[in-house]
């Protein structure tokens, strides 16, 4: 075998083992929602975890909160520049960056899904504005985090968002798409999920909104949500300094979930902005938990 062949073989083997190592263990970390000058570099990243930064948020609105018919602009912390994303990804080949769509509010204005007057125009505007963001910011995917819906919501959410993800994936602009339902928004997300499951990779279900405080109740909530969204795609989640289960009870909950026969394929944490103050305790320990269980 020639030297070139050996080098090729070596690279293929390395690439393959990297894939195997990362297989199924994902970390989802929201970052940049509060406006504090948070940096990617502050966050601990284990090489064997498929680590996703979720930039919060890209919003279909101008700076006064007026909707722009599908034209998304970035409103995450200004420290998270295109160069910062590129630098983090080159330091850590296991890092991916996603833009999360919408979120709860922009400054004082609460955001909501709305039925676009022309759905196909909305999709086309969303596609081209997100294409620009994906290329500028070196993004790998989008997360869908609409948190309010009009009372007369027809199926425009499922259709517009499902077609948008399909198009972004079809044009190979993104490789990952996730959704972030919570307890009062499950219905429109179930509709989206049932119709477009094939293009949705993970469900960042916001368990902290289910108000479960004990590991046993957390397990129950987890089981309930996997019945709605599929057990391979639902990720357990934790809100730092937030609602729901707090402290090491979260890791007891993860253990109970595993003991119940689920594979804990990953976890979501909201958010890096809050974790800076506790030295990223939950990010570190969650990744260790996932790696401890990576042979299962
Ligand atoms: C949803 O409502 C909007 C605005 O009223 C309308 O243009 C659209 O066609 C409706 N979509 C469906 C799928 O009914
Ligand atoms: C994109 O869609 C076209 C037409 O349906 C299909 O032939 C092609 O395989 C798709 N490409 C990807 C990357 O999904
Ligand atoms: C799980 O679902 C059952 C059946 O609908 C319900 O009674 C229970 O309250 C749910 N538990 C949690 C923690 O969501
Ligand atoms: C990982 O496993 C070791 C050895 O079993 C254990 O001491 C440690 O607490 C575990 N860490 C986590 C985060 O589960």
């Amino acid at each position: 075998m020639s030297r070139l062949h050996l080098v090729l073989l070596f690279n293929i083997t390395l690439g393959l083992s990297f894939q195997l190592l990362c297989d199924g263990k994902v970390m989802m970390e929201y970052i940049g929602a509060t406006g504090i000058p948070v940096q990617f570099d502050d966050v601990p990243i284990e090489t064997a975890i498929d680590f996703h930064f979720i930039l919060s948020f890209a919003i279909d609105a101008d700076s006064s909160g007026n909707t722009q018919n599908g034209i998304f602009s970035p409103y995450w912390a200004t420290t998270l520049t295109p160069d910062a994303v590129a630098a983090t990804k080159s330091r850590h080949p296991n890092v991916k960056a996603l833009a999360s769509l919408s979120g709860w509010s922009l400054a004082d204005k609460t955001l909501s899904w709305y039925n676009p007057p022309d759905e196909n125009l909305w999709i086309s505007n969303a596609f081209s504005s997100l294409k620009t963001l994906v290329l500028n910011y070196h993004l790998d995917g989008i997360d869908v985090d609409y948190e309010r819906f009009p009372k007369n919501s027809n199926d425009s959410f499922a259709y517009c968002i499902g077609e948008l993800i399909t198009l972004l994936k079809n044009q190979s602009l993104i490789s990952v798409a996730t959704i972030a339902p919570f307890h009062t928004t499950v219905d429109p997300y179930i509709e989206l999920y049932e119709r477009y499951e094939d293009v949705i990779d993970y469900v960042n279900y916001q368990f902290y909104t289910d108000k479960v405080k004990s590991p046993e109740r957390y397990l129950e909530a987890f089981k309930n949500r996997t019945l709605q969204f599929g057990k391979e795609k639902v990720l357990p989640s934790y809100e730092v300094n937030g609602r729901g289960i707090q402290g090491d009870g979260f890791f007891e909950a993860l253990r109970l979930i595993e003991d119940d026969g689920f594979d804990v394929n990953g976890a979501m944490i909201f958010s890096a902005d809050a974790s800076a103050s506790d030295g990223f305790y939950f990010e570190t320990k969650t990744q260790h938990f996932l790696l401890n269980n990576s042979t299962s």
Side-chain angles (χ1 to χ4, degrees):
M1 201 182 290
S2 73
R3 204 187 177 106
L4 178 66
H5 278 122
L6 272 177
V7 169
L8 276 178
L9 189 66
F10 181 66
N11 281 341
I12 289 166
T13 312
L14 258 187
L16 197 64
S17 52
F18 182 72
Q19 283 292 320
L20 287 175
L21 224 52
C22 287
D23 192 34
K25 298 295 172 181
V26 302
M27 179 79 187
M28 300 282 166
E29 174 88 340
Y30 285 86
I31 187 167
T34 64
I36 66 165
V38 61
Q39 305 278 359
F40 296 116
D41 281 357
D42 299 337
V43 183
I45 295 167
E46 293 287 341
T47 41
I49 300 270
D50 202 355
F51 198 105
H52 301 69
F53 279 113
I54 305 182
L55 280 64
S56 316
F57 291 92
I59 304 175
D60 167 14
D62 65 16
S63 55
S64 315
N66 303 309
T67 55
Q68 297 295 297
N69 205 12
I71 301 173
F72 284 84
S73 305
Y75 289 100
W76 49 76
T78 52
T79 42
L80 309 177
T81 61
D83 284 350
V85 176
T88 297
K89 287 173 68 169
S90 80
R91 255 195 302 279
H92 304 282
N94 55 317
V95 161
K96 292 190 174 69
L98 281 61
S100 185
L101 306 189
S102 188
W104 178 256
S105 62
L106 180 57
D108 291 338
K109 189 144 182 183
T110 308
L111 300 166
S112 174
W113 176 256
Y114 57 94
N115 299 328
D118 179 341
E119 291 172 342
N120 291 326
L121 178 61
W122 188 94
I123 294 166
S124 157
N125 285 343
F127 175 80
S128 29
S129 58
L130 289 170
K131 176 179 180 176
T132 304
L133 280 183
V134 164
L135 297 176
N136 279 353
Y137 280 88
H138 318 284
L139 305 179
D140 304 282
I142 61 168
D143 172 62
V144 178
D145 188 28
Y146 279 88
E147 305 211 321
R148 276 160 54 102
F149 293 85
K151 285 208 174 64
N152 65 340
S153 201
N154 55 20
D155 72 353
S156 63
F157 176 69
Y159 174 72
C160 292
I161 297 292
E163 290 300 315
L164 172 64
I165 295 171
T166 304
L167 210 54
L168 288 166
K169 283 201 164 177
N170 182 275
Q171 301 298 302
S172 300
L173 283 164
I174 64 167
S175 58
V176 193
T178 61
I179 59 175
F182 69 87
H183 73 124
T184 57
T185 63
V186 284
D187 289 348
Y189 281 94
I190 286 174
E191 191 186 357
L192 169 64
Y193 187 79
E194 284 179 350
R195 287 169 60 184
Y196 293 94
E197 185 182 346
D198 291 351
V199 292
I200 295 168
D201 300 284
Y202 295 102
V203 179
N204 290 318
Y205 184 82
Q206 302 180 46
F207 283 98
Y208 35 86
T209 65
D210 277 359
K211 302 188 175 78
V212 289
K213 303 250 182 210
S214 72
E216 294 75 16
R217 292 267 295 150
Y218 195 104
L219 168 64
E220 196 183 308
F222 186 82
K223 284 158 96 169
N224 283 357
R225 299 311 174 185
T226 58
L227 295 175
Q228 294 170 317
F229 293 103
K231 66 181 178 132
E232 297 79 21
K233 294 188 181 178
V234 175
L235 301 177
S237 57
Y238 185 82
E239 186 177 46
V240 179
N241 299 334
R243 298 157 287 177
I245 204 163
Q246 289 289 290
D248 283 336
F250 177 59
F251 300 105
E252 282 171 49
L254 295 185
R255 217 156 281 130
L256 288 185
I257 291 169
E258 288 228 324
D259 292 348
D260 208 70
F262 292 92
D263 283 328
V264 177
N265 293 330
M268 176 269 268
I269 292 184
F270 189 92
S271 71
D273 300 40
S275 289
S277 65
D278 69 13
F280 297 93
Y281 177 82
F282 290 95
E283 286 77 358
T284 304
K285 198 158 174 183
T286 298
Q287 290 178 87
H288 290 168
F289 180 93
L290 295 173
L291 293 176
N292 263 6
N293 294 279
S294 62
T295 49
S296 65

